[in-house]
Amino acid sequence: MLSKLLRSKLLVVFVFYTSVLFGQEQHFKYAHAQITSPNGEVIEVEVADTDAKRTQGLGFRQELPVGKGMLFVFDQKKRYGFWMKNMKIAIDIIWLNNHQVVDVLANVQPPETSQVSLKPFYPKTAANFVLELSAGEAKRLGFQVGSVIRYQF
């Protein structure tokens, strides 16, 4: 039989993921960092470093200003897939292996409101960081496969 503590933890996890799956926005406090893009411009990013923050990502946002973004941080290098659930804005998705760009997917559009099933987008190779920017920013800032960036946490 499950202990009370374990049952309560499972309930919290279930409630969180159910709210994400059924479209309820969660409010998080994000750490912030700066990324120096390949062309030298500094981008202010929110750091998504937990499963909950990574699951919601930029979902529910009405805008993503120029010079801002979200950096997804993972402990291991894998081919992490990203979906556009609850997205309202078009974005560029940039996969990074430490400081090097390994894949860029430009101008990913939000889903149609009637779209029930969402396909994830995967990089060509493993990564341990993923950067999301407003659509068009990756090209403007010089992000391309092989580019090198710097982080300041």
Side-chain angles (χ1 to χ4, degrees), residues 8-115:
S8 64
K9 285 183 179 182
L10 288 172
L11 180 61
V12 168
V13 169
F14 173 77
V15 168
F16 169 76
Y17 284 105
T18 301
S19 68
V20 169
L21 288 174
F22 292 105
Q24 294 179 347
E25 181 178 10
Q26 302 294 309
H27 298 281
F28 300 107
K29 285 189 176 188
Y30 290 94
H32 290 82
Q34 293 182 331
I35 292 177
T36 303
S37 71
N39 75 1
E41 191 170 324
V42 175
I43 306 159
E44 301 288 332
V45 295
E46 293 175 303
V47 179
D49 55 359
T50 67
D51 285 343
K53 291 175 185 176
R54 290 187 291 256
T55 299
Q56 181 166 301
L58 291 171
F60 302 100
R61 308 273 177 111
Q62 298 299 319
E63 65 178 347
L64 182 60
V66 170
K68 305 285 185 187
M70 182 169 280
L71 181 66
F72 297 78
V73 178
F74 298 95
D75 292 332
Q76 299 176 20
K77 294 176 188 175
K78 292 184 180 179
R79 291 183 61 235
Y80 294 102
F82 277 68
W83 63 351
M84 296 293 285
K85 183 161 180 65
N86 300 317
M87 290 294 288
K88 312 281 187 218
I89 55 175
I91 60 171
D92 293 339
I93 305 173
I94 303 156
W95 285 270
L96 303 148
N97 179 357
N98 295 322
H99 296 271
Q100 187 170 31
V101 176
V102 295
D103 206 354
V104 177
L105 189 57
N107 199 29
V108 181
Q109 296 297 308
E112 301 286 329
T113 54
S114 62
Q115 195 171 353

